[in-house]
Amino acid sequence: MTTNDSNPLLRPATTLPAFDEIRPEHVVPGIRVLVKEVEGILEALERDVNPSWDTLVEPIERMQDRLGFGFGIVDHLMGVSNSPPLREAYDEVEPEVVKLLTRIGQSQPIYRGLVALRDGAAGKNLDPAQRRVVDKLIQEAELSGVALEGAARERFQQIRLEIAELATRFGNQLLDATKAFALDLSTSEEIEGLPTSFLEMAAQAARAAGMETATPAAGPWRVTLDGPSYLGFMKHAKRRDLRETLYRAHLRRASEGNLDNRPVIDAMLRLRLEEAKLLGFETYADLSLSRKMAGAVSSAEKLLEELLSASHGAAVRDLEEVRVFMGERGAAAEAAEIRHWDVPYWSERLREARYDYSEEQIRKFFPLPRALDGLFALAKRLFAVEVTPADGEAPVWHPDVRFFKVRSLEGEELAAFYLDPYSRPAEKKGGAWMNEVVGRSRLFAPPGRNARLPVAYLICNGSPPIDGNPSLMTFREIETLFHEFGHTLQHMLTRVDIGLASGIRNVEWDAVELPSQFMENWCYHRDTLVGLSEHVETKRLLPNELFEKIRASRTFQAGLQTLRQLNFGFLDLELHHRFTPGGAESPFDVQRRVAARTTLLPPIPEDRFLCSFSHIFQGGYAAGYYSYKWAEVLSADAFAAFEEAGLERSEAVAETGRRFRETVLALGGSESPMEVFKKFRGREPTTAALLRHSGLAALAY
Ligand code: ZN
């Protein structure tokens, strides 16, 4: 039994979460108390709206913070300490939390109060950051239909519900269709070219399907349309006809029979357009772009066009290289009529021939403790902050979890973060991410301070130490660590004291990856990468020759890769901007029209890629796929400021680093991302740096 007093989820967000005390049985009673409490605040606020910052916006932050802190802990534990009782408890209360957050965001009295605050006398006293917070709150409320009345309002809510259902159906059907296909192999000739790790995976899949005697060496092997299996097979399987079979099955997923996503796509595009029109926009893309940094479809398309003209020639050249290489390797006949299923296989052979290094070879140079030291030394060089271990000063959810504090060089405490470095397949989600524990805010300032300090979770999935040896990191894992640390820095080094705009909050979708991708660039900087290295046995630094291979492989087939992203970006915008549901053209006609400009090999007639384009039909990327490239332009251009200052000149790097800290990292969501970028760079972003880093610059002229 737990009483409210003893429930550790109910402690105020000025203390660190009591991970040593929190148990699954605290979740349902704890979260229900929080929901009740916040409902009480909401109802009091709605009864008596007083349109001023202190009496309206601050209570909104208090409500979000109270719920966000308590439920955030539960959400976090779902990702890192998952268990059946925790999942059950989470499922029970999650809908109540989501419902309440929606209710706050769509409250009409609060909305009217915010508009009165913006337009009234009190609005004149708001500082620019406060003004932006109020504007964004109003915009988000309007985009969720709060200003609609009567039948329009009802129809809008109905559309929202239907779109959510369609998205779930899209995902489920795609999952089921992916699972429904299998290619079972049994002869050594069929598996030619496949690496051991692939055969292990394929034998395991066979055993899971009831072929109990399957072994990696003798088979049988099951190939599926799951990402790792599909990609691995396309890259390594020598049998061209089998690659073709798999390719065709992959592109036909969820496009026929009782798992057909085509009607889902039609309905979704029609409903999104209707939703946009109800809110006063011409198209759904206009709606989506209204809340993004790009601001207008034309700006996003301008960027994509610019990248297209810079990369098309390079892509043609990349494909030609593959053809020539095929000819050299005795596949001239296939090269003469190269098909989609040839490109991944022969590209991989070409890559191996050019940049021959193995992941194992690289990993031995990067023990995790050494890489962390190098990363923190970089943070000190660039941003004048000291990261120091503070293990034991905060309860943790697993003995491997570390706790760090971040201070200025003068010793002022700025922030803290947890690092959970290793994979634990039984209870921890895959991938890597950064999340907030608490954000910087003056509302929750402890005695003697002017703001609560930000705290973050930094979660990775590296291989755990074995037999007393340290964890060894692949190059990709190092990039990922840098990426997530970039998000963590923006959260931690904010100088904004308004909780609703500090750190990563209130930052537009297409700008939020700026600090994270910016940090990735340092992995390709020789001194930085070498500085992270120390061979686990020989204690040697990363040799130059290996560094050069890593750097060169970064631009391998950059033309083809860019073209692929542009194809998706254009297709997404076209469907949400120029496509007329029920008109003469089908979504698949649009796909073909876009492909004519943005692909080199025309789609095969039965190509149903849209039926598996989950980014835009299931995830949050609808009329937003371009964001990947948009943020890459920003991050590359930001890194170029350091290159221009001179990467080998430590004082210039430090000075540029301070400027990055004082603008991009410090200002967070308190100003528009374009203004923040201009404060750092002295001008608007350009694509020059991204093209140069990708090796595409020469063709841009
Ligand atoms: Zn990210």
Side-chain angles (χ1 to χ4, degrees):
M1 277 306 292
T2 55
T3 66
N4 287 347
D5 292 340
S6 66
N7 193 319
L9 284 173
L10 294 173
R11 294 196 194 139
T14 43
T15 57
L16 289 170
F19 288 115
D20 49 347
E21 296 174 46
I22 297 167
R23 303 280 170 267
E25 57 265 29
H26 293 126
V27 173
V28 172
I31 298 301
R32 289 230 163 101
V33 170
L34 287 183
V35 166
K36 266 255 152 334
E37 194 185 308
V38 171
E39 264 171 1
I41 307 177
L42 176 63
E43 276 153 22
L45 192 63
E46 286 183 324
R47 266 196 305 277
D48 182 23
V49 171
N50 182 355
S52 82
W53 179 267
D54 296 359
T55 53
L56 182 58
V57 185
E58 285 190 354
I60 294 175
E61 186 188 334
R62 282 185 195 284
M63 288 191 289
Q64 290 188 358
D65 202 83
R66 186 78 174 128
L67 262 185
F69 179 66
F71 193 62
I73 296 171
V74 180
D75 204 39
H76 166 71
L77 289 173
M78 281 289 285
V80 295
S81 300
N82 204 302
S83 69
L86 182 65
R87 205 173 319 157
E88 208 174 291
Y90 179 90
D91 288 347
E92 196 174 334
V93 288
E94 194 220 2
E96 296 167 34
V97 174
V98 171
K99 211 170 124 199
L100 181 53
L101 285 173
T102 312
R103 213 181 125 192
I104 298 171
Q106 299 184 2
S107 156
Q108 281 188 312
I110 291 181
Y111 168 71
R112 284 193 293 265
L114 287 166
V115 171
L117 170 59
R118 178 189 65 192
D119 301 340
K124 301 211 168 40
N125 299 324
L126 297 177
D127 66 33
Q130 291 176 322
R131 186 150 199 101
R132 184 170 141 92
V133 166
V134 171
D135 285 345
K136 283 273 169 192
L137 285 170
I138 291 173
Q139 184 188 34
E140 283 311 311
E142 283 174 349
L143 295 184
S144 51
V146 75
L148 298 174
E149 304 285 349
R153 185 179 172 86
E154 254 167 61
R155 178 64 191 147
F156 184 87
Q157 301 301 352
Q158 179 63 31
I159 289 174
R160 273 290 177 99
L161 226 59
E162 276 182 45
I163 289 179
E165 280 169 18
L166 287 166
T168 307
R169 195 189 314 162
F170 186 95
N172 289 343
Q173 296 197 150
L174 178 57
L175 202 68
D176 290 347
T178 302
K179 275 194 282 191
F181 175 91
L183 178 64
D184 290 328
L185 308 175
S186 55
T187 70
S188 56
E189 191 261 328
E190 287 169 323
I191 59 158
E192 215 177 319
L194 296 169
T196 318
S197 58
F198 186 93
L199 296 176
E200 280 165 6
M201 178 171 71
Q204 198 191 338
R207 284 195 301 276
M211 294 170 261
E212 282 151 25
T213 58
T215 64
W221 304 272
R222 170 162 281 206
V223 183
T224 70
L225 296 178
D226 235 22
S229 181
Y230 173 73
L231 291 172
F233 193 83
M234 296 307 286
K235 274 186 185 176
H236 296 289
K238 202 167 174 203
R239 276 271 300 265
R240 191 188 195 205
D241 60 327
L242 295 179
R243 292 198 312 263
E244 177 177 350
T245 303
L246 205 65
Y247 178 85
R248 290 184 187 275
H250 192 247
L251 277 190
R252 263 202 322 264
R253 273 181 305 162
S255 71
E256 56 208 346
N258 56 354
L259 296 175
D260 192 350
N261 271 344
R262 285 176 301 174
V264 181
I265 292 170
D266 286 337
M268 202 124 101
L269 291 173
R270 186 168 39 77
L271 288 169
R272 280 181 181 158
L273 182 59
E274 194 184 342
E275 176 190 346
K277 291 205 181 275
L278 280 171
L279 295 176
F281 295 95
E282 282 290 314
T283 73
Y284 186 80
D286 287 335
L287 185 167
S288 166
L289 270 294
S290 74
R291 46 146 73 103
K292 296 199 168 70
M293 177 181 175
V297 178
S298 56
S299 327
E301 285 187 332
K302 182 167 166 276
L303 171 74
L304 297 183
E305 289 292 351
E306 204 180 324
L307 295 176
L308 177 63
S309 63
S311 60
H312 197 275
V316 170
R317 193 190 54 192
D318 288 343
L319 191 63
E320 192 48 37
E321 274 180 358
V322 174
R323 275 206 194 96
V324 170
F325 181 76
M326 288 170 76
E328 287 166 10
R329 296 293 167 110
E334 292 171 20
E337 40 145 309
I338 190 168
R339 305 298 303 269
H340 294 275
W341 42 90
D342 296 321
V343 181
Y345 176 78
W346 288 103
S347 297
E348 188 60 18
R349 302 289 81 70
L350 179 59
R351 199 187 61 76
E352 284 170 357
R354 269 198 203 160
Y355 314 110
D356 182 32
Y357 63 80
S358 77
E359 209 156 69
E360 287 308 306
Q361 200 184 349
I362 300 282
R363 285 179 66 184
K364 294 214 159 151
F365 285 97
F366 297 105
L368 176 79
R370 172 77 187 182
L372 280 181
D373 287 347
L375 173 61
F376 299 158
L378 176 68
K380 185 173 178 177
R381 273 202 316 277
L382 295 180
F383 309 127
V385 292
E386 194 90 56
V387 181
T388 47
D391 300 297
E393 289 183 38
V396 293
W397 55 92
H398 186 277
D400 287 343
V401 175
R402 311 274 322 266
F403 187 63
F404 293 93
K405 283 195 167 164
V406 180
R407 294 186 178 84
S408 72
L409 296 186
E410 295 75 41
E412 184 202 352
E413 211 170 295
L414 300 171
F417 66 97
Y418 300 86
L419 171 70
D420 186 348
Y422 309 127
S423 75
R424 294 188 298 278
E427 58 170 17
K428 185 172 164 185
K429 217 167 52 171
W433 65 93
M434 171 265 160
N435 217 335
E436 305 179 354
V437 183
V438 288
R440 186 177 175 94
S441 171
R442 80 165 78 101
L443 276 192
F444 307 98
R449 284 192 184 279
N450 51 8
R452 177 181 67 191
L453 297 183
V455 183
Y457 301 114
L458 204 177
I459 315 292
C460 296
N461 259 296
S463 25
I466 305 167
D467 301 333
N469 290 317
S471 162
L472 300 176
M473 303 177 82
T474 64
F475 183 73
R476 182 76 208 112
E477 284 171 351
I478 295 172
E479 267 188 312
T480 304
L481 174 67
F482 273 57
H483 179 104
E484 301 306 336
F485 194 63
H487 287 306
T488 311
L489 285 170
Q490 189 176 31
H491 176 67
M492 297 194 303
L493 298 186
T494 187
R495 292 212 193 273
V496 178
D497 288 340
I498 301 168
L500 294 174
S502 70
I504 57 174
R505 296 177 184 175
N506 220 32
V507 178
E508 277 77 353
W509 176 282
D510 46 358
V512 84
E513 297 295 337
L514 164 53
S516 52
Q517 297 186 354
F518 164 81
M519 286 302 290
E520 284 183 44
N521 281 285
W522 292 97
C523 299
Y524 295 93
H525 174 235
R526 186 193 319 262
D527 290 353
T528 302
L529 191 67
V530 171
L532 302 178
S533 70
E534 185 184 73
H535 195 280
V536 67
E537 288 143 20
T538 65
K539 307 292 171 202
R540 280 178 56 216
L541 300 178
L542 185 75
N544 213 17
E545 162 218 79
L546 263 179
F547 172 76
E548 285 305 335
K549 282 182 179 174
I550 293 172
R551 183 154 71 180
S553 62
R554 182 188 195 184
T555 54
F556 179 64
Q557 291 194 340
L560 281 175
Q561 280 172 27
T562 304
L563 204 58
R564 183 179 157 83
Q565 291 296 97
L566 295 178
N567 173 241
F568 296 161
F570 274 117
L571 176 56
D572 166 41
L573 284 178
E574 199 68 19
L575 285 172
H576 291 109
H577 197 52
R578 294 190 189 86
F579 167 70
T580 315
E585 233 187 358
S586 81
F588 297 92
D589 295 333
V590 174
Q591 186 195 349
R592 248 157 261 286
R593 179 156 59 73
V594 171
R597 290 187 68 220
T598 57
T599 62
L600 300 182
L601 303 175
I604 57 172
E606 69 266 43
D607 186 327
R608 291 282 178 271
F609 162 70
L610 286 175
C611 294
S612 56
F613 197 0
S614 49
H615 272 84
I616 68 166
F617 292 117
Q618 186 192 356
Y621 277 89
Y625 198 90
Y626 77 92
S627 300
Y628 284 110
K629 283 288 159 208
W630 187 272
E632 231 182 312
V633 167
L634 300 177
S635 58
D637 200 2
F639 187 72
F642 290 81
E643 295 174 316
E644 287 159 20
L647 288 175
E648 317 314 322
R649 296 175 52 220
S650 53
E651 259 174 55
V653 165
E655 195 190 303
T656 314
R658 302 306 181 271
R659 202 166 72 240
F660 189 82
R661 178 181 163 186
E662 293 313 318
T663 51
V664 176
L665 297 180
L667 296 172
S670 70
E671 285 186 36
S672 89
M674 183 59 92
E675 288 312 310
V676 174
F677 188 89
K678 287 198 311 206
K679 279 187 176 167
F680 170 62
R681 206 64 173 97
R683 57 161 174 74
E684 293 198 359
T686 81
T687 57
L690 176 61
L691 294 177
R692 182 163 49 77
H693 293 159
S694 329
L696 300 172
L699 288 130
Y701 298 104

